């Protein structure tokens, strides 16, 4: 681990309450995320139960999956994001919940999505949350995720005008945690993405597609 200092800055809930709908504008049309959703929709049966962790405004993930005929539940730590998602994607269900303490539905889910929900927490919590999410995938089910990879702990940054403390795991460690949790990783890659808006710097994204054996 590169830094043993404790996390600082605002909580994820506070940050995303304030960012609100601007997140959808700044991080629109991410190619790797859309490709992961295409892969997922091609694997699921009509009516499949899908959990969207860190559902944000509901777009694009919950919206795409609901339109494809799946039973989508979104969870987000931000009450404001949940409010926006319920308005934007009424076909899905949303609740305010933290991935670190969320109690999943009995039997798990046919698929779990996790697009960038684990960065504003401490590094051990990242690993634990990855393993928790993997455990919610039912036999034969699928998992897709994206994050900003790196062996990072408690790095203080300014993100969308807010001081936050971020942590992550190196790409190979993200994959290892998922495999140790019983998932078969069938695809992973990294790509650069430049957020929309003036002064936005490109950032590296890791995408992982995985499945649990039936």
């Amino acid at each position: 681990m590169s830094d043993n200092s404790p996390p600082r800055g605002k909580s994820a809930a506070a940050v995303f309450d304030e960012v609100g709908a601007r997140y959808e504008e700044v991080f629109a049309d991410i190619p790797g995320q859309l490709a992961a959703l295409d892969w997922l929709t091609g694997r699921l049966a009509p009516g499949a139960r899908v959990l969207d962790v860190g559902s944000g405004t509901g777009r694009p993930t919950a919206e795409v999956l609901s339109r494809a005929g799946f039973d989508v539940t979104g969870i987000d730590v931000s009450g404001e994001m949940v409010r926006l998602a319920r308005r934007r994607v009424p076909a899905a269900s949303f609740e305010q919940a933290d991935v670190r303490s969320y109690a999943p539905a009995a039997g798990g889910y046919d698929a779990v999505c996790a697009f960038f929900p684990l960065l504003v927490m401490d590094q051990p919590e990242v690993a634990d949350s990855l393993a928790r999410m993997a455990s919610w995938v039912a036999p034969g089910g699928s998992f897709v995720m994206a994050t900003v990879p790196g062996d990072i702990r408690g790095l203080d940054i300014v993100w969308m005008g807010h001081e936050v403390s971020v942590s992550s795991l190196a790409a190979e460690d993200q994959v290892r945690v998922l495999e140790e949790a019983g998932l078969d990783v069938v695809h992973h890659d990294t790509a650069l993405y430049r957020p929309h808006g003036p002064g936005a710097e490109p950032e590296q994204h890791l995408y992982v597609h995985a499945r649990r054996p039936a």
Side-chain angles (χ1 to χ4, degrees), residues 2-138:
S2 57
D3 182 357
N4 290 319
S5 59
R8 294 170 293 277
K10 293 181 179 179
S11 69
V15 169
F16 285 100
D17 279 347
E18 295 178 22
V19 168
R22 286 198 301 125
Y23 183 89
E24 183 181 321
E25 300 164 3
V26 173
F27 292 93
D29 303 321
I30 303 178
Q33 182 174 358
L34 298 176
L37 291 173
D38 284 344
W39 178 82
L40 187 61
T41 56
R43 294 184 52 82
L44 296 177
R49 296 195 306 172
V50 183
L51 178 68
D52 180 13
V53 179
S55 47
T57 68
R59 296 174 177 166
T61 303
E63 184 175 64
V64 167
L65 296 173
S66 294
R67 286 181 175 176
F70 307 127
D71 179 6
V72 180
T73 298
I75 63 170
D76 201 287
V77 73
S78 163
E80 174 62 10
M81 288 296 195
V82 169
R83 185 188 69 81
L84 290 169
R86 286 172 175 166
R87 178 189 300 173
R88 283 163 163 72
V89 193
S93 299
F94 299 93
E95 60 182 283
Q96 187 175 359
D98 191 316
V99 65
R100 292 167 289 189
S101 56
Y102 178 68
Y109 296 90
D110 300 304
V112 175
C113 305
F115 293 108
F116 309 102
L118 306 182
L119 292 164
V120 188
M121 57 176 64
D122 198 9
Q123 195 178 52
E125 295 174 316
V126 175
D128 181 66
S129 296
L130 276 174
R132 281 175 55 80
M133 292 189 298
S135 74
W136 302 339
V137 179

